[in-house]
Structure formats: C-alpha cells, structure tokens
C-alpha cells in the first residue's frame, strides 16, 4: 500500500517537473520569436528612414522643377521649344519617381506599424510566459516540497512499522531469554531442592551428620539461586529505581559496570534531584544500560562519560565514548539483521516527546544525546 502510494507520488512529481520543462521551452520560444520580430523591425525602420529622406529630397526637387516650369510657361517666348519640352519631361519624370517612392514609403510605414504591433504582442506573451514560469517555479517548489515531505513521511511510517515489528520481536526475544534463564536457573534448582529436601527428611533419622551436611549444601545452592532470581528481577525492572530513585540507581549500574569492563565510565550529574515520572526514569535507565552494553560490545573505548542534567524543563542525557565509532551507512547496509539497541533507545525518547541524536563516525567515538521534557 505504502509502496504504491510512494510510486504514485514519484510519478506526480515527474509529471510536474515535465510541465515545468515545457513551460521553460515556451518561454525560450517566445523570447526567440520576440528577437526575430525586433530585428526585422530594426531593418524596416532603417529602410523607412531612408525612404522618407528620399521622398523629402524628391519632393523638394519636384517643387523646384514645378517652379521652373511655371517660369518657363510665363516667359515661353524667351525659351526654345526644346527647352520647354525638357523641363516638362523632367517634371513628369520627377513626379513619377515621387509617386513610386511615396508608394514604397507607404508600404514600409504600414509594415513598420504592423511589426510594432506584433512586437508589442510578442512582448506581452513573453512577459506572461515569464510570469507563468516564475509562478510555476514557486508552486512547484511548494508542491514538490510537500509531496516529497509526504514521501518522506511515508518512508517514516514504513520505518516506524518496521521498528514496531522489531520492538515486538525484541520483547519476545527478551521474554524467551528470561523464560530460559528461569528454566535453566531457579526452576532447575528448585526442582533439585525439592528432591534434596526429601533426601534430608529421610536422612535425619538415620544419619544426622550427613543430613546436616546436606542441609548446608542446600543452603549454599539456595543462596546462589536467590542471586539468580534477584538478577532476573533487576533485569525486569530495577527495584532500586522506586526505592532509591534514578541517580543512585545509575550510580550503582555504573559502579557495577566498571567492575567488569575494560572501559572506565565516569558519571556526572547536574541539577537538583527531582522525582520524575516512573516511565521517564525507566527510559533513562534503559538507554544508559543499552548504551553501556554497546560500549562494551562494540566500542573498544578506554573511557566513557554518562552525563545527566536536569534543567528547568528538560532532562539532558549524554553518553559519550572514545572508541572506534561507526558510520550511519554501516547501520543502513545491514538493515535486515541490524540490532535493535539504538532503535529502541530512539523509540523510547520519541514516545516521551523528546529528541534523540547519535553522533558517530569511524575513529571518532560515539556520542548519544537525548533530551526529554520533564513534564511529558
Ligand atoms: N558505542 C559504539 N561504538 C561503536 N559502534 C557502535 C556503538 N554503538 C553502536 N555501534 C554500532 O551500531 C550498531 C547498532 O547498534 P545496536 O545497539 O542498534 O545493535 P547491536 O548492538 O548490534 O544489537 P543489539 O543491541 O540488538 O544487541 C552496532 O552493531 C555497532 O556496529
Ligand atoms: Mg546494542
């Protein structure tokens, strides 16, 4: 379903981008068209100017010759017939030329006017196309942005679904591990104890010394079994969270960690110890536990720091190590069988309306930051 939606959105974006290309082509075409008309108009204008000048010149010449003709006519006795005829001919020729040129002038002026109108229209079209293009760009920006966001949101939903399944899987694995632990540890031992206590019961009357010895061994077994049970309870939910509060519990966790790890973890706390909501306390405790597991399992770090800070409205948690670090790509590559430690940390923080960030790169250690609102 999500894959189909993603495909549809991808196609919509492609279609929109295609129309943008087409609009761009329209703008380019009308710009070219405008240029052609402009060049033609320049040529026609030049020719019109030339012909206007010629017409002016001819008009003047024709006026002169008409004047001469008038003089010749007035004083026709003083001029020979040849002379008079020549002036007549000249006047006629000039009139003809003038008529032709005036005609040409008229045609050119009409052409010029028409080109000017066409240029104006082309300018309007170009303006409109350019406006459309910039409007389209804005609209496309919004649209594509929004659609891409939807696309990202869908990816996010997909990821969340994936994460949800992973979390359930993880819970099931955890339950399986606990049931095995109880089965192999305390349950076996209890079964054994039942048998041994029956043996003691029988022994008491026959061999008191042996019965005593058996009872002592029994007590040892019960003691170690009690430890196992305590560990299992602690893994389920550290009681000390309720009894002592978050900070002493974390201190204790880190002290225990330092006893068995090659990495030395320092703990820093700033602020006033306020009582937090139990789910927030558990979340912080589990994130630290999970991060310390990762440090032990992957980091090869010599030093690490766990810092908790209570500010006015937030709890800021930082867990940093100086180990080998990792790249985000390496996480993505192994997507299918990637662990759920980091994902479950992020999920816990997100569920509490907080912000979660991982900063790590090969060779530069790892820093995990979580900011959780005190009142969620
Ligand atoms: N502090 C760290 N230093 C170096 N690499 C780390 C660190 N934390 C996590 N990684 C890398 O990130 C990967 C993912 O960690 P994550 O806790 O999600 O899974 P995991 O530890 O492999 O498995 P899981 O936590 O489910 O047992 C690890 O496999 C490891 O490569
Ligand atoms: Mg892990």
């Amino acid at each position: 379903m999500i894959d189909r939606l993603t495909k549809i959105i991808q196609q919509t974006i492609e279609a929109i981008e295609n129309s943008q290309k087409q609009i761009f082509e329209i703008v380019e075409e009308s710009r070219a068209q405008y240029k052609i008309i402009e060049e033609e108009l320049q040529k026609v204008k030049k020719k019109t100017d030339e012909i206007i000048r010629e017409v002016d010149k001819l008009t003047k010449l024709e006026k002169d010759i008409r004047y001469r003709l008038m003089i010749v006519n007035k004083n026709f006795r003083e001029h020979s017939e040849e002379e008079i005829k020549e002036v007549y001919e000249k006047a006629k020729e000039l009139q003809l030329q003038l008529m032709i040129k005036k005609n040409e002038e008229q045609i050119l002026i009409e052409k010029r006017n028409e080109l000017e109108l066409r240029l104006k229209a082309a300018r309007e079209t170009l303006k409109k196309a350019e406006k459309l293009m910039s409007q389209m760009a804005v609209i496309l920006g919004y649209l594509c942005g929004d659609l891409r966001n939807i696309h990202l949101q869908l990816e996010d939903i997909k990821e969340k679904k994936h994460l949800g399944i992973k979390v359930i899987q993880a819970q099931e694995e955890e339950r399986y591990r606990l049931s095995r632990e109880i089965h192999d540890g305390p349950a076996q031992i209890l079964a054994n104890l039942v048998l041994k206590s029956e043996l003691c019961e029988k022994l008491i009357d026959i061999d008191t010394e042996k019965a005593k010895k058996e009872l002592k061994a029994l007590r040892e077994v019960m003691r170690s079994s009690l430890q196992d049970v305590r560990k299992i309870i602690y893994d389920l939910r550290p009681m000390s969270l309720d009894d002592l509060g978050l900070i002493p519990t974390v201190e204790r966790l880190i002290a225990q960690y330092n006893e068995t790890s090659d990495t030395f973890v320092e703990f820093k706390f700033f602020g006033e110890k306020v009582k937090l909501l139990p789910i927030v306390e558990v979340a912080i405790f589990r994130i630290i536990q999970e991060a310390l597991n990762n440090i032990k399992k992957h980091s090869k770090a010599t030093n690490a720091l766990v810092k908790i800070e209570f500010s006015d409205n937030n709890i800021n948690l930082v867990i940093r190590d100086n180990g080998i670090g990792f790249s985000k790509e390496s996480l993505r590559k192994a997507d299918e069988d990637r662990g759920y430690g980091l994902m479950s940390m992020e999920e816990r923080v997100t569920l509490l309306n907080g912000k979660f960030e991982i900063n790590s790169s090969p060779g530069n250690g790892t820093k995990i930051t979580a900011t959780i609102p005190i009142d969620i």
Side-chain angles (χ1 to χ4, degrees), residues 290 293-294 297-298 339-342:
E290 194 62 56
N293 278 343
N294 277 352
K297 225 163 97 182
H298 311 291
Y340 63 86
L342 293 176

Side-chain angles (χ1 to χ4, degrees), residues 172-196:
E172 280 310 312
E173 274 168 28
E174 181 76 359
R175 284 189 185 150
Y176 177 74
R177 192 181 61 76
L178 278 170
S179 73
R180 280 234 73 85
E181 256 176 42
I182 296 171
H183 174 268
D184 295 349
Q188 294 273 2
I189 291 168
L190 281 175
N192 210 356
L193 286 177
V194 173
L195 287 178
K196 286 232 164 131

Side-chain angles (χ1 to χ4, degrees), residues 2 5 27 40 85 149 170 189 213 229 236 255 278 282 298-299 316:
I2 288 174
L5 267 175
V27 170
E40 213 184 323
K85 206 175 160 198
N149 277 346
I189 291 168
K213 262 192 191 161
V229 174
L236 280 174
V282 176
H298 311 291
S299 78
N316 301 314

